[in-house]
Amino acid sequence: VLLGDLNAAIDASELRPLAAAFTDAFAAVGIAPGDARRQSCGPRPIDHIFVRGFAVDDCRVATEAGDASDHLPVVATLRAEVG
């Protein structure tokens, strides 16, 4: 699992190596690049969760977290893949 403020949208060229090696948790639950549900820092979707070896059951920006930071938390529910 790799996560954090990566200062780039998921479709930025800087993130292509990560997107090739990991699964984008938002995409795994059908939330495409450019979808407003990815916005975690004002209008910018720059906070991400990448996984490998896990199934993603849910991924969302926790808007109920309030304004303690300029970023809202990104939360994913993961399940270990057996196999």
Side-chain angles (χ1 to χ4, degrees), residues 4-78:
D5 171 2
L6 302 181
N7 287 326
I10 193 65
D11 51 2
S13 62
E14 298 88 346
L15 297 186
R16 281 190 200 130
L18 290 176
F22 293 89
T23 298
D24 167 27
F26 280 115
V29 296
I31 300 174
D35 189 307
R37 293 175 290 173
R38 288 180 176 257
Q39 294 175 349
S40 57
C41 184
R44 298 173 300 191
I46 60 175
D47 300 288
H48 307 284
I49 298 176
F50 289 100
V51 300
R52 185 168 46 210
F54 289 91
V56 182
D57 291 333
D58 184 52
C59 185
R60 67 185 185 87
V61 173
T63 57
E64 70 276 11
D67 61 358
S69 171
D70 59 336
H71 294 258
L72 292 170
V74 176
V75 180
T77 303
L78 307 177

